[in-house]
Amino acid sequence: MSSWVLYALSGMAMFSVGLVGLFAHRHVVKRILASNIMGSGVLLVLVALARRVPSGAPDPIPHALVLTGIVVSVSSTALGVALARRISRLQSTESDSSRSSPEGP
Amino acid sequence: MMDALLDGGLALSLPFLAWLVLHTEALSQAVVLFVAMGLMSALAWARLEAPDIALVEAAVGTGLTGALLMHTLSWTEETAPEAHTRATRWVWDILAASALTGVLGWAVLALPADSLGLGPEVTARLADSGVEHPVTAVLLNFRGYDTLLEIAVLLVAALGARAVNPRTERPSLETEDDPLTGELFRMMTPAVLLLAGYLVWVGAHGPGGAFQAGAILAGGGVVAILTTRLGTPRMSSRRVRWALLMGPLLFVAVAVAPLFRGGRLLEFPPHLAGTLIFVVELALTVTITLVLLMFFPGVRPPKVEREGTP
C-alpha cells in the first residue's frame, strides 16, 4: 500500500470521527473541536490525493486549496468561539439576575 | 521500512487522537489533545511533501487555534455536562464512524488512478507566473480569485467576531509586573520579525509567503497581548482600519488595473508579475496579522468584575 492511501484513509477516519462527534455532543466547545477535526480530515485527504502520481513533485493546486482551507477554518473557529463567549456571557448575566433579583443585591 | 512504520504510526494516531479529543471529559484536556493532533498532522503534511501547509498548520491551525480555544475555556465551564455517557453509546459512535470511513474510503479509492491532475499544467506555465515556487504561483497568479476571496472571508469573520463581542477586554494589571514574561517578549521580538520578513521574501522561491509570515507575526502579537499591557487592536482606531483594508484594497487595485488596458481581471503582465506578487504579499501580510490578532479576545479581566451589570 503506498503512503498516500494510508494518509487518505486516516483523513477519512478523522472526518468520520468528527462528524459523529458533531452529532453526539451538545457542548459548544466540543462542537467547535469536532468541526475542526472534520476540516483537518478533509484537508488531509486533499493533500494525500495530491501525492497520487508517484513520480515528480506533488500537485500544487490541492496544496494551494488546503492553505486557503486552513485560514478559512481558523476564521470559522474564531467566529464560533466569539459566539460561544457571547452565549456564555448572556447566560451568566441571565442566571445572575434571576438568582439575585429575589433576594436583592 | 522505517518510513512505512512512521507513516503507519502517524496515520493511525491522527484518528485516534481525534477520537480522544472528542471523548475526554475535561475540556482543557481536550484542547491540549487537539493541539497535539495538530502537531501530528503538521508532521503528516511534512511527510506528504507539503512544507507550506505544515508551516501554516503548525502556526495557525495549531498555535493560534489552540490559544483561542484555551482562552475560551476560561469563559465556559470546565466539564462538558453530557460527557458522562454510557459505554454503549461509544460502541455506536465507533460503528458509525467506521461505516462512514468505509463508504468514503471506497469512494476515494475508486477514483481513476491514471489522472495526472493539474500539476503538469502548472509546471508548464510556471515561467510566466513571475515566481518560482508552484504553490505561490497558484495562490497569487493562477488562482488569484481564491486568495482574494479568502481575504474577504478573513475580514468578514473578524468583523463578525468583533460585532458579537464589541467590548475589548482590558488587560488586568498584574501581568505587567512579571519581569520574566516581559523579558521573554523583548528577546523574542527581533527573531519573530526576522523570521516573518524572511518568509515573505522566500515565498517567491520556496515554501513561505504571506500566510506563514502573518501567522508568525500574529503569534508574536498574541504573546505581546498576554505579557505586556498592549490591548488587542481596536476597530475604532483609524490606523487599524487602514491597515486592515490595505491588503484587500491593494489586491483589488492590482486585480482591476488590467481591465483599463483591455486585459482581464487578475491578469498580471508577465514582466511585472514578480514585483506585483511581492507587493500584494507584503500588504496581505499586514492584513492577515491584524485579522488573526483581532480574533484573539484579549486578557480576561478578573472574575469578580467580569459582569458589570447591576
Side-chain angles (χ1 to χ4, degrees):
Chain A
M1 188 163 26
S2 51
S3 66
W4 75 264
V5 179
L6 214 58
Y7 284 113
L9 282 175
S10 164
M12 284 175 279
M14 274 171 89
F15 176 83
S16 316
V17 168
L19 188 65
V20 171
L22 190 65
F23 284 115
H25 291 278
R26 199 167 292 152
H27 195 275
V28 193
V29 178
K30 280 279 172 104
R31 286 193 165 180
I32 294 173
L33 282 172
S35 73
N36 256 307
I37 288 171
M38 281 169 71
S40 298
V42 172
L43 301 181
L44 191 57
V45 174
L46 261 177
V47 180
L49 286 181
R51 203 68 205 98
R52 207 148 50 116
V53 184
S55 60
D59 192 348
I61 306 255
H63 284 192
L65 291 182
V66 169
L67 276 181
T68 313
I70 291 178
V71 176
V72 169
S73 82
V74 169
S75 3
S76 79
T77 306
L79 194 56
V81 160
L83 287 172
R85 274 193 298 136
R86 181 72 176 155
I87 289 170
S88 76
R89 181 178 286 168
L90 285 179
Q91 277 171 350
S92 68
T93 44
E94 209 167 72
S95 62
D96 278 357
S97 59
S98 67
R99 210 183 309 135
S100 58
S101 55
E103 46 193 63
Chain B
M1 181 57 204
M2 276 313 282
D3 284 1
L5 215 60
L6 183 59
D7 286 339
L10 270 177
L12 272 180
S13 73
L14 281 172
F16 181 62
L17 277 174
W19 178 264
L20 283 183
V21 167
L22 293 175
H23 286 85
T24 43
E25 290 188 6
L27 284 176
S28 54
Q29 211 172 338
V31 172
V32 171
L33 282 167
F34 178 77
V35 170
M37 191 194 78
L39 288 176
M40 284 302 214
S41 54
L43 265 185
W45 280 328
R47 288 288 303 155
L48 285 164
E49 291 175 56
D52 288 274
I53 304 171
L55 263 174
V56 171
E57 169 70 29
V60 184
T62 304
L64 274 176
T65 311
L68 261 176
L69 288 169
M70 265 301 176
H71 213 66
T72 317
L73 291 185
S74 54
W75 269 271
T76 54
E77 66 272 31
E78 172 65 11
T79 321
E82 80 277 13
H84 311 271
T85 42
R86 299 180 308 277
T88 50
R89 242 191 68 191
W90 284 36
V91 177
W92 283 115
D93 283 5
I94 291 176
L95 274 181
S98 349
L100 195 57
T101 313
V103 172
L104 289 173
W106 176 67
V108 168
L109 295 183
L111 286 173
D114 53 348
S115 109
L116 280 177
L118 290 167
E121 204 121 349
V122 171
T123 340
R125 289 179 174 72
L126 196 57
D128 301 334
S129 69
V131 288
E132 291 156 31
H133 187 50
V135 176
T136 309
V138 171
L139 272 178
L140 283 150
N141 201 335
F142 302 146
R143 293 195 61 91
Y145 283 114
D146 285 2
T147 313
L148 188 54
L149 293 177
E150 176 184 4
I151 293 298
V153 168
L154 269 179
L155 273 181
V156 168
L159 285 176
R162 269 303 139 98
V164 175
N165 292 297
R167 229 169 8 145
T168 38
E169 284 82 11
R170 296 260 89 198
S172 54
L173 282 175
E174 66 258 37
T175 48
E176 51 137 2
D177 292 334
D178 190 349
L180 201 63
T181 48
E183 194 57 41
L184 171 77
F185 177 65
R186 252 194 305 269
M187 273 160 46
M188 209 183 65
T189 309
V192 164
L193 288 177
L194 189 69
L195 190 61
Y198 172 73
L199 279 174
V200 180
W201 171 79
V202 85
H205 323 283
F211 290 106
Q212 289 87 341
I216 294 209
L217 282 178
V222 167
V223 175
I225 290 174
L226 289 176
T227 58
T228 65
R229 278 173 107 185
L230 281 175
T232 42
R234 293 159 163 271
M235 200 71 101
S236 52
S237 139
R238 200 173 287 266
R239 263 182 297 176
V240 169
R241 286 189 202 172
W242 274 111
L244 265 182
L245 285 178
M246 194 169 86
L249 284 182
L250 198 76
F251 203 165
V252 167
V254 168
V256 169
L259 291 179
F260 295 103
R261 289 195 312 268
R264 280 189 228 137
L265 197 66
L266 278 164
E267 189 180 79
F268 301 153
H271 60 285
L272 279 178
T275 324
L276 284 178
I277 287 177
F278 184 66
V279 171
V280 167
E281 282 217 283
L282 267 185
L284 287 183
T285 306
V286 176
T287 302
I288 290 165
T289 308
L290 265 181
V291 167
L292 291 179
L293 262 187
M294 295 183 79
F295 284 153
F296 204 72
V299 175
R300 182 180 188 275
K303 201 161 197 154
V304 205
E305 53 187 58
R306 177 172 63 153
E307 296 307 332
T309 49

